[in-house]
Amino acid sequence: MSVSAEKIASLIDMTEALRTVDDETWGFYAFSADFLNNRIPDEKKHEMIRKSIACGENCADRVMKEAGDSSPGAIARQLGLEVIENDFPMTGNRKVFAQFTPPKQIEIFKDPLKRYESLLARASEQQASLLIPLQEIYNLVLGHEIYHYIEECNADTIYSRAEKYTLWRFFGFHYNTTVNALGEIAGMAFSRKLNHVAYSPFLLDVLLFFDYDEEQASAIFQKIMHMKEHI
C-alpha cells in the first residue's frame, strides 16, 4: 500500500469514528480551546452545551423558514453577505477554515479545501464514498460563518452571545465576560441542521488539518476520542 493510500485509509478510519462522537463530547472539545475552560465547572458546561445546541438548532429552523431554503449559499445571498475566497495557505497550528468579518463579509480559506480535494482525488471510488464530499464540507464551513453573522446581529439576545460568565467579584464589583466556546458550539449545531447532516461539523478540525500535519491531526483525534470515553 502506498503512503497516499495509507493516509487515505487512516483518514477514513478517523472519519468513521468521529461520526459517532456525541454532542456533549464535542461541547467539551470546544471548551478545551476556551480560556475559561478551567474556570467553569463541568456541571455548568453541560448546561451551557445543551443551551448552545438548542440555540443553534432553533436559529437554523427560523432561518430556513424565513428563507424558504436550506442552502447556505442561497441563505448567504438572501442575507446580503459577501462571500469571498482566500488562497493564502493556512499556517501554524490554528485550525481556521473561514472567518466572519463584520458587518457582512465571510472569508473562506481555500487552501485546506484544496488539500482535502487532493486527498479525495487520490482515493479510489469506494474510499471516496466513505469520506465527506467536498461540497458538503464547503457548505458546513459557510453555514458556521452565517451563524456568526446572525449572532453578531443579535448579540444582546442570542444565547451564545448574551450568556455571560462572572470572571471575578470584588466587594460590590464584578466582571462578566462572554464565553467563546458557546458561539462555536451553537454555530456547529446551526450548520449541521442547515446542511441536514447527522454528524458534528467539529470533525472538520481533523479532516481539513490532516493533510497539513497528519501527526497533529491524529493527536487531535486521540484527544477527542479520549474525551468521549471519559466525559
Side-chain angles (χ1 to χ4, degrees):
M1 183 180 287
S2 69
V3 173
S4 294
E6 288 174 354
K7 288 180 67 171
I8 292 165
S10 176
L11 186 60
I12 289 170
D13 288 343
M14 287 194 286
T15 300
E16 291 180 345
L18 290 168
R19 287 178 187 270
T20 70
V21 175
D22 59 278
D23 286 342
E24 287 290 299
T25 299
W26 286 123
F28 273 81
Y29 170 70
F31 268 108
S32 71
D34 196 299
F35 82 100
L36 291 172
N37 185 42
N38 293 326
R39 291 176 174 264
I40 301 176
D42 283 354
E43 58 268 24
K44 182 64 175 177
K45 289 177 187 172
H46 284 291
E47 175 191 341
M48 288 178 158
I49 290 166
R50 287 193 298 271
K51 288 182 176 179
S52 296
I53 292 170
C55 171
E57 291 181 342
N58 292 336
C59 185
D61 285 335
R62 289 195 300 272
V63 167
M64 288 189 288
K65 183 177 180 179
E66 291 170 4
D69 202 324
S70 65
S71 163
I75 289 171
R77 287 190 293 273
Q78 287 195 36
L79 293 173
L81 293 169
E82 178 191 15
V83 181
I84 63 173
E85 297 181 347
N86 187 325
D87 284 318
F88 294 137
M90 188 171 66
T91 58
N93 291 324
R94 293 189 66 208
K95 298 173 290 299
V96 179
F97 312 126
Q99 66 181 12
F100 163 67
T101 303
K104 284 200 161 191
Q105 185 183 86
I106 291 175
E107 189 174 10
I108 306 290
F109 298 117
K110 292 179 66 177
D111 193 59
L113 295 172
K114 286 181 178 178
R115 284 175 174 259
Y116 182 77
E117 183 178 24
S118 177
L119 283 173
L120 287 177
R122 297 201 300 271
S124 68
E125 184 176 345
Q126 181 181 8
Q127 287 175 322
S129 71
L130 299 173
L131 292 168
I132 298 171
L134 182 65
Q135 186 61 51
E136 187 169 297
I137 286 183
Y138 182 94
N139 288 340
L140 287 168
V141 171
L142 178 56
H144 182 90
E145 299 310 316
I146 290 173
Y147 177 80
H148 285 313
Y149 164 72
I150 295 169
E151 186 182 45
E152 182 72 15
C153 292
N154 300 276
D156 292 336
T157 56
I158 198 165
Y159 173 76
S160 60
R161 188 72 68 82
E163 175 73 9
K164 300 291 193 296
Y165 184 77
T166 303
L167 196 57
W168 53 259
R169 296 180 185 273
F170 184 73
F171 291 102
F173 301 95
H174 64 273
Y175 178 72
N176 294 331
T177 183
T178 54
V179 183
N180 292 334
L182 304 187
E184 294 306 302
I185 296 167
M188 294 304 188
F190 174 89
S191 188
R192 177 174 63 185
K193 192 79 179 278
L194 210 63
N195 286 286
H196 308 289
V197 299
Y199 59 86
S200 172
F202 272 118
L203 62 74
L204 299 186
D205 277 10
V206 175
L207 267 64
L208 294 186
F209 197 56
F210 185 81
D211 199 54
Y212 288 91
D213 189 333
E214 184 177 353
E215 184 176 337
Q216 181 63 20
S218 296
I220 297 168
F221 169 78
Q222 293 298 333
K223 172 183 175 179
I224 293 164
M225 301 313 291
H226 181 268
M227 285 182 169
K228 181 184 177 185
E229 296 299 322
H230 293 89
I231 289 174

